[in-house]
Amino acid sequence: MKESDVIVLQEPKLSLSDQFYLPQVLIGLGTTMKHMFNVVARDKHLVVSYPEERREDKPVEEGGMFQQTYRGVHRLNKDEDGRVKCVACFMCSTACPARCIHIEADESPWADREKYPAKFDIDELRCIYCGMCEEACPVDAIELTSLYDIVGLTRQEMIFDKAKLLRVYDETVKAEPM
């Protein structure tokens, strides 16, 4: 991680009521009681027994997800020749508010474009899944999929490099065509 990637935050100033914490604790208890009332009295519990039940198999009203609008793991799309579609224009990394996309461009070995990403990394732990990268891409090379069950035992495993992002494309292209 580079020094420029570190964001230093200032501690917010607390008001007098915030310093005593009691009003905030009571507000939190009120929210908890409201949710408990909804579950017990109105029978409105939206619990999914993951991994036996999957969110994509349930209706949205019962805690499921709407796959067409869900923003999950990124993928790098391939063109019709099977090459990475990205042209290394840095629009996605510029638009990213979390600064989780890192690209190293190189001269393209193909005649139809000037550059390609020699290195393309996305820190999935830092990403806020806002979709700005997807919106900024002029060639639709980066996309958010409906995959949500990713795991990693280390922070390094959650940094998706170009090969891993292209593998996500291969896994999801049939279910979610471009």
Side-chain angles (χ1 to χ4, degrees), residues 5 10 15 22 29 39 41 50 69 81 98 110 137 162 164:
D5 293 338
Q10 297 295 323
S15 66
L22 191 56
L29 279 173
V39 169
Y50 180 81
T69 57
D81 297 328
W110 311 297
C137 184
K162 188 169 86 175
K164 203 168 187 178

Side-chain angles (χ1 to χ4, degrees), residues 132-147:
M132 294 296 289
C133 55
E134 193 177 28
E135 294 294 323
C137 184
V139 293
D140 295 330
I142 189 166
E143 227 174 341
L144 294 167
T145 66
S146 62
L147 289 179

